Amino acid sequence: MEAASNLSSSLPLSPSRYRTTAVLTPHQRIASLSTAAAAGALPSCRTHLARLHQRRSAILPLRCNVRETVPDQEMASIDVEDPRIAKIAKAIRVIPDFPKPGILFQDITTLLLDTKAFRDTIDLFVERYRGKDITVVAGIEARGFIFGPPIALAIGAKFVPMRKPKKLPGEVISEEYSLEYGTDKIEMHVGAVEAGERALVIDDLIATGGTLCAAIRLLERVGVDVVECACVIELHGLKGRERLGDKPLFVLVNAAA
Ligand SMILES: O=P(O)(O)OC[C@H]1O[C@H](OP(=O)(O)OP(=O)(O)O)[C@H](O)[C@@H]1O
Ligand SMILES: Nc1ncnc2[nH]cnc12
């Protein structure tokens, strides 16, 4: 609750077309994690909390926010003081140096343990996309498969998995994208979508934006209109949002890379 009141009390003024919310300092973030751990929401994070305390001067401020790149009249907006957002941010565990040194890993598995925060996450997306004539929710492997299906069911859209190479049994089309070292691909079944459909692309997180860009290209190649991309977390500083160009991106939580 404390984090939520910090959230509402420190709201910056934002341009009318955009929504941007509050800043959680590293100390607040660590306090939030401690509170969640004490409440049993993060059963195995004591070691990491200790490490976070030791390293807090090295951790950049984390912002919990709702950011939009589309005008309010096109999509339902979320009240920036919505207390659900702060609780979702609190439920995401941050693990330093995973999977390799220097990476601050945003672990959404702890969000899945918190039934209220997980439900709120899905509800926030559903509130935004319900009634917007979206026929396809395209989820990106693997963590987009967690958030995509409940959103698709709730808004009456089909769910289409965008998979890593050689996983889908039928005929596929694929798109390559660049990684820090080398390249990867995502694939989609031919016939899963039709030209003229309206799609929402869902993933847990945007970092460099390479994965989402490949998903957009894949869908647009077959004539699908990608209405928006949505992620739970945006890592700022990696310019993923810029890489998407004009394609709208909606995120709930903004975190340091
Ligand atoms: O914006 P980008 O730089 O493209 O990175 C974001 C992607 O990275 C993570 O997936 P990852 O490739 O680690 O696969 P996983 O979900 O199967 O672990 C994440 O879930 C996104 O899909
Ligand atoms: N920092 C991070 N945490 C979780 N998933 C990621 N994918 C790319 N960067 C990531």
Side-chain angles (χ1 to χ4, degrees):
M1 290 310 289
E2 195 189 339
S5 58
N6 284 337
L7 181 75
S8 53
S9 64
S10 59
L11 287 174
L13 293 173
S14 58
S16 59
R17 286 182 63 209
Y18 301 90
R19 305 268 177 196
T20 303
T21 60
V23 172
L24 288 184
T25 65
H27 182 77
Q28 287 166 333
R29 172 76 174 168
I30 290 161
S32 302
L33 282 166
S34 304
T35 308
L42 306 174
S44 61
C45 67
R46 282 172 199 278
T47 311
H48 295 295
L49 282 168
R51 291 174 71 196
L52 281 169
H53 276 288
Q54 284 161 11
R55 290 161 167 263
R56 67 183 174 196
S57 59
I59 298 172
L60 294 168
L62 288 165
R63 298 192 330 167
C64 161
N65 72 13
V66 179
R67 298 182 61 194
E68 300 180 34
T69 54
V70 288
D72 289 347
Q73 61 268 27
E74 285 183 17
M75 290 288 176
S77 62
I78 289 173
D79 181 349
V80 290
E81 298 186 43
D82 192 321
R84 293 177 293 181
I85 301 282
K87 288 177 180 165
I88 291 164
K90 267 195 239 171
I92 298 166
R93 175 168 57 176
V94 180
I95 301 185
D97 299 326
F98 182 86
K100 54 186 182 182
I103 305 288
L104 270 183
F105 190 82
Q106 305 288 325
D107 179 17
I108 54 93
T109 66
T110 46
L111 172 61
L112 309 179
L113 300 176
D114 182 335
T115 53
K116 170 82 168 71
F118 184 24
R119 177 177 294 279
D120 286 346
T121 303
I122 301 303
D123 287 349
L124 283 162
F125 290 125
V126 170
E127 286 162 22
R128 182 169 178 82
Y129 298 114
R130 183 181 276 140
K132 298 298 184 300
D133 296 325
I134 288 166
T135 58
V136 182
V137 174
I140 296 176
E141 184 170 356
R143 289 167 259 163
F145 294 0
I146 296 168
F147 299 99
I151 297 166
L153 287 173
I155 66 173
K158 61 188 175 188
F159 178 76
V160 172
M162 316 278 277
R163 295 218 63 179
K164 300 271 163 78
K166 301 191 193 316
K167 298 285 188 183
L168 291 170
E171 188 187 348
V172 297
I173 55 168
S174 32
E175 267 292 330
E176 206 167 79
Y177 59 98
S178 54
L179 298 169
E180 199 175 351
Y181 303 109
T183 59
D184 206 346
K185 265 188 201 164
I186 52 166
E187 297 185 338
M188 176 178 72
H189 267 146
V190 170
V193 291
E194 287 171 22
E197 289 203 78
R198 283 166 55 82
L200 166 68
V201 181
I202 295 276
D203 206 349
D204 68 320
L205 175 143
I206 176 170
T208 66
T211 314
L212 280 180
C213 281
I216 294 165
R217 286 198 303 274
L218 203 50
L219 289 159
E220 291 186 342
R221 264 171 58 192
V222 292
V224 169
D225 175 16
V226 177
V227 176
E228 192 158 282
C229 297
C231 295
V232 180
I233 307 158
E234 176 179 10
L235 296 188
H236 62 78
L238 296 180
K239 303 197 169 158
R241 183 179 284 271
E242 284 173 34
R243 196 159 168 188
L244 296 189
D246 291 338
K247 190 62 68 185
L249 170 69
F250 176 73
V251 299
L252 301 182
V253 175
N254 201 302

